[in-house]
Amino acid sequence: MPKAPRTKLSQRRAAHLSAALLLASASASAACPNPTLPVLEHTGAVYLQSKPGYLVLCDGQTTREHPLQNRDASQSTSHINGHWHFSNRESFVVLISAINEVWELSYNPTSPDIPSGKIHDFQYREGAFIPGYLNPQRGRLTPPAPRQAQAELTEHGLWLDYASQRRFYHLDVRKLLPAPANPR
């Protein structure tokens, strides 16, 4: 069955959104890593750095600065609560308790695009998508995220220690799951 063509309007919207996001967040990198910023994690080629209110990723050619705010920009913060390097997933994971989110930032150049906004049809890519490379894939935490990040890494996510219980954040599902009663 042939794929349905995208409408000119949806093509223009997707192209406009992608171009605007890339222009706003990407710039030529003069120094990677930036010597004035602390390095949180690195792979040798890609660096995760922070500055007040921003998360900075650079790979020697591209630098992206992501403001530490939730998806609709109604909440923001100046710092992060935890950061981890998942080498098996080729990504960095960041916990931002003030906005109750976990971000996964892939440094794999072939990572899949991230849907943003309303998506009409994933199969025919009708909607807005941004490149997956060096951009955050966000997950919401409910109940509120712990202020102190005590976490244990696993292949598919991380265990977070809340005050009264331990919960598992699954990176593929992008949800916080309760711990089983009898872990095996």
Side-chain angles (χ1 to χ4, degrees):
M1 179 180 222
K3 289 186 177 182
R6 292 172 69 180
T7 65
K8 287 185 180 182
L9 183 59
S10 68
Q11 286 176 342
R12 273 189 269 147
R13 282 184 185 158
H16 179 67
L17 179 63
S18 294
L21 287 171
L22 286 175
L23 286 174
S25 65
S27 63
S29 176
C32 181
N34 185 334
T36 62
L37 300 177
V39 174
L40 303 176
E41 300 284 342
H42 70 91
T43 66
V46 179
Y47 291 84
L48 176 68
Q49 299 180 283
S50 71
K51 67 180 187 179
Y54 290 88
L55 200 59
V56 181
L57 285 103
C58 67
D59 68 355
Q61 297 175 354
T62 304
T63 298
R64 297 229 171 116
E65 293 186 1
H66 300 287
L68 295 176
Q69 57 190 9
N70 63 351
R71 191 180 308 262
D72 63 0
S74 63
Q75 294 177 310
S76 62
T77 185
S78 60
H79 65 281
I80 62 173
N81 299 82
H83 52 85
W84 302 273
H85 177 215
F86 278 76
S87 59
N88 61 330
R89 296 176 66 93
E90 296 185 67
S91 64
F92 300 116
V93 174
V94 178
L95 171 69
I96 310 169
S97 296
I99 60 173
N100 294 320
E101 288 187 350
V102 173
W103 291 4
E104 183 176 14
L105 302 117
S106 177
Y107 55 82
N108 180 350
T110 61
S111 61
D113 290 347
I114 300 168
S116 63
K118 298 209 183 253
I119 306 299
H120 176 70
D121 190 335
F122 279 95
Q123 181 180 0
Y124 299 118
R125 295 188 50 79
E126 293 176 353
F129 292 84
I130 59 172
Y133 181 64
L134 300 182
N135 283 311
Q137 186 148 358
R138 301 162 183 260
R140 188 97 175 120
L141 292 177
T142 53
R147 295 289 171 213
Q148 295 294 345
Q150 300 297 322
E152 178 184 333
L153 306 180
T154 68
E155 183 178 346
H156 298 288
L158 51 124
W159 286 98
L160 295 172
D161 290 329
Y162 281 78
S164 60
Q165 60 184 334
R166 195 167 195 210
R167 302 188 114 203
F168 184 72
Y169 181 80
H170 200 289
L171 291 169
D172 294 326
V173 181
R174 307 243 173 261
K175 287 191 178 183
L176 195 61
L177 308 172
N182 296 322
R184 295 178 190 190

